[in-house]
Amino acid sequence: LLGTNGNGKSTLMKCVMGMVKPDQGEINLEIDGVRHDLTKLSTEEIVNLGVALVPEGRRLFPKLTVEENLLLGAFRELARPQIADNLAFCFEAFPLLKERRTQLAGSMSGGQQQMLAIGRALLFNPRLLVMDEPTEGLAPVIVEHVADTLKTLASEGNISVLLIEQNLGVAGDVADNVAV
């Protein structure tokens, strides 16, 4: 989902996550052949369907280690049996996180923190990963790495990604469909 500031991208994301209830309309998500109208569900029910959020601004726990932040992503009961596999996938996607697993999250650079925020969402074992401006403020080399990781998720995982972004290059490079 592309657009400039103030066009409602983040508001739509909040509607998808159940944090804002629209006055009218539906937001449908189909999982395993079952259609769910997200406007009728609580945030908790949406999360339990397997919808994970990588929020703008990362929202990490700065006084916890990288590994502790990652493991918080596996709080959903259905994610717990896959912790080892999801952690391995996360460390394969972001080797730096494995190297720094005992480092405090608050002491990492912005790009490293963004990797950690994405990794935490992967530990959730999501069916739908909602990412709000994941490349904002990142160095070009980190933007490229995040884009490559999104492509890998789309091609290898059973994960759909709703990417909310201003960077046309990234969105066009990783998306199957683009809405402006």
Side-chain angles (χ1 to χ4, degrees):
L1 179 63
L2 286 170
T4 57
N5 287 336
N7 283 318
K9 299 182 309 295
S10 293
T11 301
L12 177 60
M13 178 270 308
K14 289 175 184 174
C15 290
V16 168
M17 295 304 301
M19 296 183 284
V20 170
K21 295 293 181 190
D23 293 332
Q24 58 187 1
E26 296 178 349
I27 300 172
N28 290 300
L29 175 64
E30 187 173 318
I31 297 177
D32 298 329
V34 178
R35 184 180 217 140
H36 304 273
D37 180 358
L38 301 182
T39 64
K40 292 182 171 44
L41 301 176
S42 69
T43 299
E44 182 179 359
E45 291 169 317
I46 293 168
V47 167
N48 285 332
L49 286 174
V51 181
L53 171 66
V54 178
E56 185 177 16
R58 300 176 269 284
R59 308 274 199 263
L60 299 171
F61 295 91
K63 295 187 181 200
L64 295 180
T65 66
V66 166
E67 187 165 19
E68 289 166 336
N69 269 277
L70 289 171
L71 292 175
L72 285 172
F75 69 89
R76 188 170 75 106
E77 191 172 333
L78 290 174
R80 292 178 197 152
Q82 284 87 26
I83 287 175
D85 290 340
N86 290 339
L87 196 58
F89 178 76
C90 175
F91 288 154
E92 181 181 321
F94 302 112
L96 179 94
L97 297 180
K98 185 174 186 176
E99 294 170 20
R100 300 189 179 198
R101 62 191 319 162
T102 61
Q103 182 175 340
L104 294 180
S107 68
M108 300 174 79
S109 73
Q112 294 165 349
Q113 287 184 10
Q114 188 63 41
M115 289 179 204
L116 179 54
I118 295 168
R120 181 180 59 194
L122 294 177
L123 264 286
F124 182 82
N125 202 36
R127 299 298 300 275
L128 173 63
L129 182 59
V130 180
M131 303 182 77
D132 193 8
E133 308 228 15
T135 65
E136 182 181 31
L138 300 182
V141 68
I142 302 294
V143 170
E144 186 176 322
H145 187 73
V146 168
D148 288 344
T149 301
L150 292 176
K151 285 189 246 182
T152 300
L153 285 174
S155 66
E156 292 181 8
N158 190 21
I159 301 173
S160 295
V161 178
L162 172 57
L163 177 65
I164 298 167
E165 186 59 75
Q166 288 188 46
N167 186 327
L168 175 61
V170 169
D173 193 31
V174 301
D176 293 326
N177 298 294
V178 176
V180 179

